[in-house]
Amino acid sequence: MRLPPVRFLPSSAAPAVVDANARIARLARTGNMEGARAAFEAMPLRTTASYNALLAGYFRNNLPDAALRVFHRMPSRDLASYNALISGLSLRRHTLPDAAAALATIPYPPSVVSFTSLLRGYVRHGLLADAIQLFRQMPERNHISYTVLLGGFLDAGRVDEARALFDEMPDKDVVAWTAMLSGYCQAGRIAEARVLFDEMPKKNVVSWTAMVSGYAQNGQVNLARKLFEVMPERNEVSWTAMLFGYIQVGRVEDAEELFNAMPEHPLPACNAMIVGFGQRGMVDAAKSVFERMHEKDDGTWSAIIKAYEQNEFLMEALSTFRKMLHDGIRPNYPSVISILTVCAALAVLDYGREVHAAMLRCSFDKDVFAMSALITMYIKCGNLDKAKKVFNMFELKDVVMWNSMITGYAQHGLGEEALRIFDDMRLVGMVPDRITYVGALTACSYTGKVKEGRDIFNSMDTNSAIRPGAEHYSCMVDLLGRAGCLEEALDLIKTMPVEPDAVIWGALMGACRMHKNAEIAEVAARKLLELEPGNAGPYVLLSHIYTSTGRWEDASEMRKFISSRHLNKSPGCSWIEYDKRVHLFTSGEVSAHPEHAIIRKMLEKLDGLLMESGYSADGSFVLHDVDEEQKTHSLRYHSERQAVAYGLLKVPEGMPIRVMKNLRVCGDCHSAIKLIAKITSRKIVLRDANRFHHFKNGFCSCRDYW
């Protein structure tokens, strides 16, 4: 870069040069360094101030190499040139030594600005010890020097040292008072903050807002509101701080009232209302705020996506995320986590791959929590190979990532692999947590490894600081129950040191269904009625047990009991993703699908092929005492069977058919789908409420142990 020399100016040229220098500084502040450079080049006469304006602009816009070239080729320099250099070199941690060297080599007596520029750099990069040492060595200090170091103490949470420095300050302006006030609030020392606030000789709207925000952030919203009401003036930040306070403590109605009273609706306030409405389940209200906003940022999009996700408007969350990408909005961390959760819940693999691609473009592939969520998404979408690749590629694995893999392999019925990962985790020195043990015990439960499960459970007391909780006892009850050790499972429940919850009794109930033990099932059902009086699930299971053992009268009485108590039973449904759309099927209602005619034909065709293969419908999975033909017809239209039929029609050969179900798979459907996979030479992956079933060549990955 060639720089023209400095020329002495005639007095008549001075105003033009001053105007040009101001223009360079103004363009630099707006980030237009090309324009600033052009304005500089167009000057027929330049002063050192002209160079200083360009030098500071390059540093401010993160162009340090260009700035240094300007500095080294300046025809002459003044103290402002060196101050600009020190300030610019202090912006980056690795050039702080250069900034210190520049301070030491200034050919003029350094000013307080020179020292404060380096001081600010030390504080900015968390080098508080260096900042304190420099501050004590400074020949002169002003209120800015004190305020910079004060901020350093407060950012580090060293509130008492900050207060000592504050008391030492010879001249305290409103900025210093407000900084100290905010520091107390952030540390939760709200009473001391209020004392300081009352002592302030002069307050401005920032001071008042800091105190209101302090009360709000510490859950004292009533005091915050009282102070808010007597503020001499308010700005957007004041209103938004009060709004955040209400939302933080869950008082969404008060937040809405305040929001409606606001003279303006700034972006942060709108985003906060979307979050608040979403947390309260008021999705329409959240959507209304979102749609009325003229300006949206990435926080707006992540807020509405989160509102949809947490209230199970899953398809809306997916479509909103795709629109966000289409509009050129770069996804942020919360939106990525939310949408991965949605993809996992729906098991929509194609959408999940899109999100993965977006994560790579936005460099989220280095974040361990985001990658753990990505692994979970692939696992719940049934693509264990891809989950394993992501896991193996990530070097700095944390316990969450290990847990995702252990639990994932367990859910896919690969107990040996899950336990191998559990062993590998401990070998690399990673300490298992409560969830790790749940995953390992689940792996044992799903694969019938009773001895290994007992050993892991017992090792929690001897080799771990973690004491077994209800979730671990639930796994053991499930393990023993599945293995047919129902009496032992019941004894464990009676002697366990924690109060058995509905999950534990439910695990025993499921085992009773598997082994057709009506006596213990009745005990479990009574306990579940006490814990969850509105849940019909246990009684439906008990009715199944009565039906499977031919106790039709008891089954009928149980259905009457369910009806009389107005108990709720979740309807069985299954879904499959095809062509970026989710196709939903409900048991017995194939006509609801627009392509119901070809689905019926495929179901009838499959019936014929199954019969030729020796399949016989298991009528014990039909609750009502009807003839065998009606039972067969009822089983044919179970939701998972409809979804499989649709998959056979639409999913290309060679690709697995992936079906999801909200409840556990029906036993008869499990047998039928094994045969369908063999007859059609297709791989079928079914995810039910508990686990994955990989059907291939007439076998299931669960080995019929489910």
Side-chain angles (χ1 to χ4, degrees):
M1 181 190 301
R2 292 190 60 190
L3 297 174
V6 177
R7 297 177 187 173
F8 291 103
L9 302 177
S11 58
S12 60
V17 171
V18 171
D19 289 344
N21 292 348
R23 175 172 170 76
I24 293 169
R26 185 171 61 254
L27 290 167
R29 280 196 300 272
T30 61
N32 185 1
M33 284 312 299
E34 288 187 11
R37 173 68 188 184
F40 179 84
E41 295 285 3
M43 294 176 69
L45 298 171
R46 301 169 184 82
T47 63
T48 300
S50 310
Y51 287 89
N52 289 344
L54 191 64
L55 172 70
Y58 277 128
F59 273 127
R60 185 181 296 113
N61 288 280
N62 199 27
L63 297 166
D65 294 336
L68 289 172
R69 285 196 296 270
V70 171
F71 181 82
H72 289 308
R73 296 178 185 178
M74 287 177 69
S76 64
R77 307 181 186 106
D78 58 13
L79 184 57
S81 309
Y82 283 94
N83 288 345
L85 177 67
I86 295 166
S87 180
L89 291 172
S90 298
L91 291 172
R92 298 188 296 179
R93 187 186 181 102
H94 73 274
T95 55
L96 271 173
D98 298 325
L103 176 64
T105 57
I106 295 178
Y108 313 100
S111 69
V112 67
V113 175
S114 312
F115 283 97
T116 303
S117 296
L118 181 58
L119 181 71
R120 195 186 302 277
Y122 285 139
V123 167
R124 178 186 291 115
H125 299 290
L127 302 173
L128 199 51
D130 294 310
I132 294 168
Q133 183 179 0
L134 178 65
F135 182 81
R136 297 306 176 195
Q137 293 172 351
M138 288 173 65
E140 179 189 357
R141 308 180 189 108
N142 60 14
H143 72 281
I144 296 176
S145 314
Y146 276 96
T147 304
V148 168
L149 185 58
L150 182 74
F153 279 127
L154 294 172
D155 289 343
R158 294 160 65 168
V159 181
D160 292 329
E161 291 170 89
R163 181 57 194 257
L165 183 69
F166 178 78
D167 291 338
E168 180 189 317
M169 290 177 71
D171 180 26
K172 306 178 184 71
D173 61 6
V174 69
V175 175
W177 281 89
T178 305
M180 193 65 233
L181 168 69
S182 297
Y184 275 133
C185 291
Q186 288 167 5
R189 295 161 65 168
I190 199 73
E192 292 166 274
R194 183 57 192 258
V195 170
L196 196 69
F197 177 78
D198 291 338
E199 290 175 355
M200 287 181 71
K202 183 181 178 182
K203 304 179 183 74
N204 60 15
V205 66
V206 179
S207 315
W208 282 87
T209 301
M211 195 65 237
V212 169
S213 182
Y215 277 130
Q217 289 171 357
N218 287 278
Q220 300 182 34
V221 288
N222 290 335
L223 287 174
R225 186 59 186 264
K226 285 180 181 178
L227 195 63
F228 177 81
E229 292 295 341
V230 297
M231 286 180 71
E233 62 171 315
R234 304 175 188 135
N235 59 16
E236 288 183 354
V237 180
S238 316
W239 286 90
T240 305
M242 190 65 241
L243 192 73
F244 280 163
Y246 278 134
I247 289 171
Q248 188 174 303
V249 298
R251 288 168 59 173
V252 178
E253 291 79 7
D254 291 326
E256 184 179 13
E257 181 184 348
L258 187 74
F259 183 74
N260 292 333
M262 291 176 71
E264 300 289 339
H265 289 141
L267 188 65
C270 294
N271 292 352
M273 280 313 305
I274 294 172
V275 170
F277 283 137
Q279 290 171 348
R280 185 56 67 88
M282 302 165 67
V283 178
D284 288 340
K287 184 179 178 182
S288 176
V289 174
F290 177 81
E291 291 179 342
R292 292 199 310 267
M293 292 173 68
H294 298 297
E295 180 190 355
K296 300 179 178 74
D297 64 1
D298 60 343
T300 313
W301 289 91
S302 66
I304 191 65
I305 290 168
K306 181 64 178 178
Y308 285 138
E309 177 250 312
Q310 65 191 157
N311 290 285
E312 298 187 358
F313 285 70
L314 304 183
M315 296 306 299
E316 288 84 350
L318 285 177
S319 61
T320 303
F321 185 80
R322 295 189 79 185
K323 187 176 189 309
M324 180 185 76
L325 296 180
H326 182 267
D327 289 355
I329 305 297
R330 183 184 176 93
N332 61 13
Y333 183 81
S335 63
V336 165
I337 298 300
S338 289
I339 210 65
L340 285 173
T341 303
V342 169
C343 292
L346 285 174
V348 284
L349 187 58
D350 287 344
Y351 278 99
R353 289 193 185 106
E354 286 186 17
V355 178
H356 189 178
M359 290 174 68
L360 294 174
R361 289 194 297 271
C362 299
S363 301
F364 285 117
D365 56 321
K366 301 295 185 292
D367 183 272
V368 66
F369 192 81
M371 296 309 283
S372 295
L374 181 67
I375 288 170
T376 299
M377 182 277 294
Y378 276 124
I379 287 169
K380 292 195 172 182
C381 289
N383 194 333
L384 199 54
D385 289 340
K386 188 65 176 177
K388 187 178 180 181
K389 284 181 182 177
V390 174
F391 176 79
N392 289 338
M393 287 170 59
F394 203 89
E395 292 183 12
L396 301 175
K397 303 175 180 69
D398 68 350
V399 68
V400 177
M401 194 173 281
W402 284 97
N403 290 348
S404 296
M405 290 304 294
I406 293 168
T407 304
Y409 274 102
Q411 289 175 337
H412 283 264
L414 302 171
E416 292 84 357
E417 288 84 347
L419 294 178
R420 179 181 54 77
I421 295 172
F422 177 64
D423 290 337
D424 289 345
M425 176 184 179
R426 291 183 293 181
L427 283 173
V428 300
M430 185 67 64
V431 179
D433 63 9
R434 303 183 72 83
I435 297 173
T436 314
Y437 283 105
V438 170
L441 291 171
T442 301
C444 295
S445 178
Y446 285 179
T447 49
K449 296 183 177 297
V450 178
K451 179 185 180 301
E452 291 86 343
R454 285 196 182 104
D455 290 343
I456 291 171
F457 184 77
N458 293 332
S459 75
M460 290 181 67
D461 272 330
T462 55
N463 303 332
S464 165
I466 299 169
R467 295 289 170 265
E471 66 273 32
H472 306 105
Y473 279 98
S474 175
C475 290
M476 283 304 296
V477 169
D478 192 57
L479 170 64
L480 295 169
R482 286 174 186 271
C485 307
L486 295 172
E487 295 289 349
E488 185 181 348
L490 184 58
D491 288 342
L492 180 64
I493 293 174
K494 290 176 180 177
T495 58
M496 58 192 281
V498 295
E499 190 68 26
D501 59 14
V503 176
I504 290 173
W505 288 111
L508 183 63
M509 188 85 189
C512 291
R513 166 72 179 89
M514 183 189 303
H515 297 287
K516 300 180 181 179
N517 189 315
E519 290 73 21
I520 294 180
E522 287 169 345
V523 173
R526 282 196 296 271
K527 292 292 185 180
L528 283 165
L529 179 59
E530 295 172 11
L531 294 168
E532 295 182 339
N535 183 10
Y539 303 98
V540 172
L541 270 178
L542 192 55
S543 182
H544 269 300
I545 295 170
Y546 289 148
T547 302
S548 64
T549 54
R551 294 169 59 176
W552 295 106
E553 228 176 274
D554 290 331
S556 177
E557 288 299 317
M558 185 54 62
R559 287 195 299 276
K560 289 177 185 176
F561 173 80
I562 294 170
S563 179
S564 67
R565 291 290 187 104
H566 304 288
L567 300 177
N568 299 317
K569 177 185 179 296
S570 298
C573 65
S574 301
W575 62 95
I576 184 171
E577 181 192 15
Y578 171 70
D579 195 25
K580 298 288 179 68
R581 290 182 58 201
V582 175
H583 299 262
L584 184 69
F585 300 91
T586 307
S587 291
E589 296 183 13
V590 68
S591 58
H593 195 278
E595 297 181 85
H596 60 88
I598 61 169
I599 295 172
R600 282 185 198 277
K601 286 183 180 178
M602 175 56 77
L603 287 169
E604 290 169 3
K605 178 183 177 181
L606 289 173
D607 268 2
L609 293 172
L610 286 169
M611 294 300 178
E612 290 174 9
S613 301
Y615 161 79
S616 177
D618 186 349
S620 68
F621 290 94
V622 179
L623 288 181
H624 301 283
D625 187 12
V626 294
D627 62 39
E628 291 303 315
E629 185 177 346
Q630 288 176 293
K631 289 179 183 179
T632 301
H633 183 273
S634 174
L635 292 168
R636 176 194 299 166
Y637 292 107
H638 274 192
S639 64
E640 55 265 57
R641 200 99 56 106
Q642 295 179 47
V644 167
Y646 189 75
L648 289 168
L649 288 164
K650 298 293 184 178
V651 178
E653 292 281 348
M655 291 182 63
I657 297 167
R658 304 179 190 276
V659 173
M660 280 59 65
K661 183 172 181 177
N662 66 328
L663 305 176
R664 290 182 68 184
V665 62
C666 156
D668 178 73
C669 288
H670 188 271
S671 300
I673 295 171
K674 279 198 300 183
L675 276 174
I676 290 170
K678 181 178 181 180
I679 293 165
T680 60
S681 300
R682 299 294 297 269
K683 181 179 180 180
I684 302 169
V685 180
L686 172 63
R687 189 187 89 184
D688 69 9
N690 279 9
R691 64 180 298 162
F692 281 86
H693 302 267
H694 294 252
F695 298 98
K696 188 176 181 181
N697 298 327
F699 296 96
C700 178
S701 60
C702 74
R703 305 172 192 169
D704 297 337
Y705 192 83
W706 62 281

